[in-house]
Amino acid sequence: MPLLKEKRYTVDDIYALPPGERAELIRGEIHAMAPPTSTHQRIVHFLDWTIGSYIRKNNGDCEVFPAPFAVFLRDDDRTYVEPDLSVICDREKVDDRGCHGAPDWVIEIVSPSSKRMDYYIKLAEYKEAGVREYWIVDPYKKYIIVYDLEHEEAPLFCPLNGCVKAGIYEDLEIDFSEMKL
């Protein structure tokens, strides 16, 4: 009896999903995405506004893109992710379809359904793709894990109600106590 072949999906399968249905694609495997909670959206809005304001104030070259925003981590059709926030400093990577290559800084907000993806699968994917900095914001455990992937430093665990320094910028510190949850 022949072995059954496992179905491998491509970006075309993501674009063929029914309207309103979202998923990510990691190495040909589809991972469905649940709708975000209001807490999740408040955190995304706070970070988008805070980081974007910092970039504008300092005439920076980087841009902040909140989800849904397509990131094609590899030059293939088998990996497609939608980070909660992507900070991209090389404008050549961005076109109308999304980001082609690794963002400089990725932030994921953990939800009950995304724990495995955010803590394990995406961490490995982002590291391999060349993301410089990766934050996992966990509103349930009330902390932020900061990964300096560029320098391969040990992760930092920061309380969700304190200040967290962004590694890709010299002087950006985000005060999470200002966030209204």
Side-chain angles (χ1 to χ4, degrees):
M1 176 172 167
L3 293 175
L4 295 176
K5 279 192 167 180
E6 187 176 323
K7 168 83 170 137
R8 286 295 187 201
Y9 296 92
T10 68
V11 172
D12 290 338
D13 295 304
I14 294 293
Y15 285 114
L17 290 171
E21 192 171 319
R22 290 179 51 215
E24 294 178 302
L25 182 68
I26 307 283
R27 299 182 188 262
E29 186 178 323
I30 288 185
H31 299 269
M33 296 171 65
T37 65
S38 57
T39 297
H40 180 281
Q41 291 301 89
R42 284 184 185 109
I43 296 169
V44 168
H45 175 72
F46 172 76
L47 288 168
D48 181 28
W49 182 82
T50 302
I51 297 166
S53 295
Y54 171 85
I55 292 169
R56 282 187 299 282
K57 179 181 164 194
N58 291 283
N59 297 312
D61 291 327
C62 303
E63 290 183 87
V64 183
F65 294 93
F69 181 73
V71 174
F72 306 92
L73 288 174
R74 288 181 192 73
D75 191 20
D76 66 21
D77 66 348
R78 298 181 325 116
T79 301
Y80 165 101
V81 293
E82 291 183 6
D84 292 317
L85 282 162
S86 300
V87 178
I88 302 160
C89 300
D90 179 355
R91 291 176 184 251
E92 295 292 316
K93 290 182 177 181
V94 180
D95 67 15
D96 284 342
R97 289 189 71 206
C99 176
H100 301 271
D104 293 271
W105 180 13
V106 170
I107 301 173
E108 294 286 5
I109 316 305
V110 174
S111 65
S113 63
S114 73
K115 286 182 199 175
R116 183 174 168 267
M117 283 291 289
D118 295 337
Y119 279 102
Y120 302 106
I121 296 170
K122 285 186 175 180
L123 171 61
E125 291 297 313
Y126 293 150
K127 182 176 181 172
E128 184 180 309
V131 170
R132 294 169 53 200
E133 185 167 353
Y134 177 42
W135 288 17
I136 299 174
V137 179
D138 193 324
Y140 304 97
K141 294 184 179 178
K142 301 202 180 310
Y143 62 69
I144 301 145
I145 305 175
V146 176
Y147 291 93
D148 179 348
L149 301 176
E150 181 177 33
H151 300 105
E152 298 186 5
E153 299 287 333
L156 297 175
F157 289 78
C158 307
L160 189 56
N161 62 355
C163 290
V164 182
K165 178 160 179 359
I168 71 165
Y169 294 109
E170 294 253 335
D171 59 348
L172 173 59
E173 212 172 70
I174 298 174
D175 185 354
F176 281 87
S177 70
E178 295 176 358
M179 183 172 55
K180 308 278 189 272
L181 287 180

